[in-house]
Protein backbone atom coordinates (compact mmCIF):
# COMPACT_ATOMS: atom_id res chain seq x y z
CA UNK A 1 0.00 0.00 0.00
CA UNK A 2 1.42 3.43 -0.87
CA UNK A 3 1.55 6.14 1.76
CA UNK A 4 -1.19 8.00 -0.01
CA UNK A 5 -3.42 4.94 -0.09
CA UNK A 6 -2.64 4.14 3.51
CA UNK A 7 -3.62 7.66 4.59
CA UNK A 8 -6.77 7.40 2.53
CA UNK A 9 -7.54 3.98 3.98
CA UNK A 10 -6.96 5.29 7.51
CA UNK A 11 -9.23 8.23 6.79
CA UNK A 12 -11.92 5.79 5.71
CA UNK A 13 -11.39 3.74 8.84
CA UNK A 14 -11.65 6.91 10.91
CA UNK A 15 -14.96 7.72 9.30
CA UNK A 16 -16.21 4.21 10.06
CA UNK A 17 -15.24 4.56 13.71
CA UNK A 18 -17.05 7.88 13.98
CA UNK A 19 -20.17 6.35 12.40
CA UNK A 20 -20.03 3.38 14.76
CA UNK A 21 -19.55 5.73 17.70
CA UNK A 22 -22.61 7.72 16.81
CA UNK A 23 -24.59 4.46 16.73
CA UNK A 24 -23.60 3.80 20.34
CA UNK A 25 -20.70 1.40 19.73
CA UNK A 26 -17.51 1.79 21.66
CA UNK A 27 -15.49 4.64 20.24
CA UNK A 28 -11.72 4.71 20.01
CA UNK A 29 -11.93 8.43 20.56
CA UNK A 30 -9.20 10.74 19.35
CA UNK A 31 -6.23 8.77 20.66
CA UNK A 32 -3.17 8.03 18.59
CA UNK A 33 -2.93 4.65 16.87
CA UNK A 34 0.50 3.01 17.28
CA UNK A 35 1.31 0.18 14.87
CA UNK A 36 3.44 -2.76 15.98
CA UNK A 37 4.56 -5.26 13.37
CA UNK A 38 4.88 -8.96 14.13
CA UNK A 39 7.99 -10.12 12.23
CA UNK A 40 10.02 -13.27 11.57
CA UNK A 41 13.23 -11.22 11.67
CA UNK A 42 14.32 -7.67 12.45
CA UNK A 43 14.72 -5.75 9.14
CA UNK A 44 18.02 -4.16 10.32
CA UNK A 45 19.48 -7.39 11.67
CA UNK A 46 18.05 -10.58 10.16
CA UNK A 47 19.83 -12.64 12.82
CA UNK A 48 17.38 -11.21 15.37
CA UNK A 49 14.55 -13.65 14.86
CA UNK A 50 10.90 -13.30 15.98
CA UNK A 51 10.47 -9.67 16.97
CA UNK A 52 7.81 -7.05 17.56
CA UNK A 53 8.70 -3.77 15.86
CA UNK A 54 8.90 -1.42 17.60
CA UNK A 55 9.35 -3.46 20.79
CA UNK A 56 8.64 -0.39 22.95
CA UNK A 57 5.63 1.85 22.35
CA UNK A 58 5.29 5.16 24.19
CA UNK A 59 1.59 5.89 24.49
CA UNK A 60 -0.87 8.05 26.36
CA UNK A 61 -4.16 6.94 27.96
CA UNK A 62 -6.77 6.44 25.25
CA UNK A 63 -4.21 5.54 22.60
CA UNK A 64 -4.65 2.38 20.53
CA UNK A 65 -2.02 -0.25 19.79
CA UNK A 66 -2.55 -2.08 16.51
CA UNK A 67 -0.68 -5.33 15.98
CA UNK A 68 0.04 -5.94 12.29
CA UNK A 69 0.52 -9.51 11.00
CA UNK A 70 3.32 -8.54 8.57
CA UNK A 71 4.67 -12.10 8.82
CA UNK A 72 2.61 -15.20 9.49
CA UNK A 73 2.59 -17.38 12.60
CA UNK A 74 2.56 -14.76 15.36
CA UNK A 75 0.14 -13.28 17.85
CA UNK A 76 0.05 -10.74 20.68
CA UNK A 77 -0.93 -11.76 24.21
CA UNK A 78 -0.73 -9.57 27.30
CA UNK A 79 1.33 -10.83 30.23
CA UNK A 80 -0.88 -10.81 33.33
CA UNK A 81 2.21 -10.28 35.52
CA UNK A 82 3.12 -7.20 33.49
CA UNK A 83 -0.21 -5.36 33.44
CA UNK A 84 -1.07 -2.43 35.73
CA UNK A 85 -3.97 -2.80 38.17
CA UNK A 86 -7.19 -2.36 36.17
CA UNK A 87 -5.33 -2.37 32.85
CA UNK A 88 -6.85 -4.10 29.82
CA UNK A 89 -5.63 -7.57 28.94
CA UNK A 90 -5.62 -8.93 25.41
CA UNK A 91 -5.09 -12.18 23.53
CA UNK A 92 -4.96 -12.26 19.73
CA UNK A 93 -5.24 -15.49 17.76
CA UNK A 94 -2.34 -16.53 15.52
CA UNK A 95 -2.18 -14.14 12.50
CA UNK A 96 -4.88 -11.97 14.03
CA UNK A 97 -4.48 -8.19 13.81
CA UNK A 98 -5.87 -6.85 17.04
CA UNK A 99 -6.38 -3.27 18.16
CA UNK A 100 -6.32 -2.56 21.84
CA UNK A 101 -7.12 0.80 23.41
CA UNK A 102 -5.37 1.34 26.73
CA UNK A 103 -6.96 3.75 29.20
CA UNK A 104 -5.05 2.79 32.36
CA UNK A 105 -1.62 4.29 32.94
CA UNK A 106 1.28 1.95 33.52
CA UNK A 107 3.67 -0.54 31.96
CA UNK A 108 2.27 -3.38 29.85
CA UNK A 109 4.27 -6.43 28.78
CA UNK A 110 3.11 -8.83 26.10
CA UNK A 111 4.40 -11.77 24.11
CA UNK A 112 3.85 -13.94 21.06
CA UNK A 113 2.62 -17.29 22.29
CA UNK A 114 4.59 -19.61 19.93
CA UNK A 115 7.81 -17.58 20.28
CA UNK A 116 7.69 -16.41 23.88
CA UNK A 117 10.70 -18.43 25.06
CA UNK A 118 12.54 -17.35 21.89
CA UNK A 119 12.26 -13.78 23.14
CA UNK A 120 9.35 -12.44 21.08
CA UNK A 121 8.16 -9.95 23.69
CA UNK A 122 7.40 -6.25 23.87
CA UNK A 123 6.51 -3.34 26.12
CA UNK A 124 3.92 -0.57 26.06
CA UNK A 125 4.36 2.47 28.31
CA UNK A 126 1.09 4.33 28.91
CA UNK A 127 1.13 7.76 30.59
CA UNK A 128 2.78 7.48 34.00
CA UNK A 129 4.51 4.15 33.34
CA UNK A 130 6.19 4.18 36.76
CA UNK A 131 2.98 2.84 38.36
CA UNK A 132 4.16 -0.78 37.89
CA UNK A 133 7.41 -0.36 35.93
CA UNK A 134 9.67 -2.06 38.49
CA UNK A 135 7.09 -4.73 39.20
CA UNK A 136 6.86 -5.56 35.49
CA UNK A 137 10.64 -5.51 35.20
CA UNK A 138 10.90 -8.05 38.03
CA UNK A 139 8.36 -10.43 36.47
CA UNK A 140 9.77 -13.89 35.82
CA UNK A 141 10.70 -14.63 32.21
CA UNK A 142 11.48 -17.77 30.28
CA UNK A 143 14.36 -18.52 27.94
CA UNK A 144 15.46 -15.70 25.65
CA UNK A 145 12.65 -13.45 26.88
CA UNK A 146 14.73 -12.68 29.96
CA UNK A 147 17.64 -11.35 27.90
CA UNK A 148 15.37 -9.41 25.52
CA UNK A 149 13.49 -7.79 28.40
CA UNK A 150 16.75 -6.75 30.09
CA UNK A 151 17.56 -4.79 26.93
CA UNK A 152 13.99 -3.53 26.45
CA UNK A 153 13.68 -2.27 30.04
CA UNK A 154 17.09 -0.56 29.87
CA UNK A 155 15.96 1.33 26.74
CA UNK A 156 12.54 2.07 28.27
CA UNK A 157 14.21 3.54 31.33
CA UNK A 158 16.35 5.83 29.15
CA UNK A 159 13.27 6.82 27.17
CA UNK A 160 11.38 7.80 30.32
CA UNK A 161 14.40 9.56 31.87
CA UNK A 162 14.75 11.68 28.71
CA UNK A 163 11.20 12.98 29.26
CA UNK A 164 11.83 14.12 32.83
CU1 LIG B 1 5.86 -15.05 17.09
Amino acid sequence: MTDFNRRHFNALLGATVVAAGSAGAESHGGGTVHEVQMLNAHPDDRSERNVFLPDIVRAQPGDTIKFIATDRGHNAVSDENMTPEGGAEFRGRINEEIEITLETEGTYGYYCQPHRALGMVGLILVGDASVNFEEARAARQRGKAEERYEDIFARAEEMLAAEA
Side-chain angles (χ1 to χ4, degrees), residues 73 113 134:
Q113 201 159 7
E134 290 306 329

Side-chain angles (χ1 to χ4, degrees), residues 98-110:
I98 58 169
E99 285 186 41
I100 177 85
T101 299
L102 299 173
E103 306 286 357
T104 303
E105 296 189 285
T107 298
Y108 295 74
Y110 62 89

Side-chain angles (χ1 to χ4, degrees), residues 73-74 112 115 120:
H74 306 286
C112 164
H115 304 116
M120 189 162 172

Side-chain angles (χ1 to χ4, degrees), residues 14 62 114 152:
I152 288 170

Side-chain angles (χ1 to χ4, degrees), residues 1 24 29 32 34 37 44 49 56 61 67 78 86 89 97 108 114 133 135 138 141 144 157 162 164:
M1 204 183 278
T32 302
H34 306 266
Q37 295 187 69
D44 298 333
R49 307 288 301 170
I56 305 174
F67 290 95
S78 59
E89 297 193 44
E97 300 201 338
Y108 295 74
F133 188 87
E135 194 184 324
Q141 303 298 337
K144 204 182 172 200
E157 198 167 38

Side-chain angles (χ1 to χ4, degrees), residues 116-131:
R116 187 181 193 178
L118 295 175
M120 189 162 172
V121 295
L123 207 61
I124 305 163
L125 307 168
V126 180
D128 179 8
S130 71
V131 176

Side-chain angles (χ1 to χ4, degrees), residues 5-156:
N5 283 337
R6 188 181 300 279
R7 277 197 301 274
H8 186 60
F9 184 61
N10 287 343
L12 288 175
L13 279 181
T16 306
V17 169
V18 169
S22 65
E26 189 179 288
S27 171
H28 283 191
T32 302
V33 178
H34 306 266
E35 294 191 348
V36 175
Q37 295 187 69
M38 304 189 279
L39 299 174
N40 292 342
H42 196 291
D44 298 333
D45 179 1
R46 305 293 299 177
S47 70
E48 278 294 298
R49 307 288 301 170
N50 304 304
V51 295
F52 289 103
L53 190 72
D55 56 5
I56 305 174
V57 169
R58 183 67 178 114
Q60 294 305 321
D63 284 0
T64 296
I65 317 301
K66 182 175 184 183
F67 290 95
I68 311 288
T70 307
D71 291 327
R72 310 285 294 172
H74 306 286
N75 69 346
V77 182
S78 59
D79 185 330
E80 60 181 2
N81 297 317
M82 302 174 77
T83 301
E85 183 84 36
E89 297 193 44
F90 49 93
R91 174 176 291 270
R93 294 186 303 275
I94 301 294
N95 302 325
E96 187 183 11
E97 300 201 338
I98 58 169
E99 285 186 41
I100 177 85
T101 299
L102 299 173
E103 306 286 357
T104 303
E105 296 189 285
T107 298
Y108 295 74
Y110 62 89
Y111 57 89
C112 164
Q113 201 159 7
H115 304 116
R116 187 181 193 178
L118 295 175
M120 189 162 172
V121 295
L123 207 61
I124 305 163
L125 307 168
V126 180
D128 179 8
S130 71
V131 176
N132 66 325
F133 188 87
E134 290 306 329
E135 194 184 324
R137 191 177 210 168
R140 220 175 128 181
Q141 303 298 337
R142 308 175 204 167
K144 204 182 172 200
E146 186 169 357
E147 182 188 316
R148 281 257 177 93
Y149 264 134
E150 271 178 30
D151 173 57
I152 288 170
F153 272 98
R155 281 184 283 122

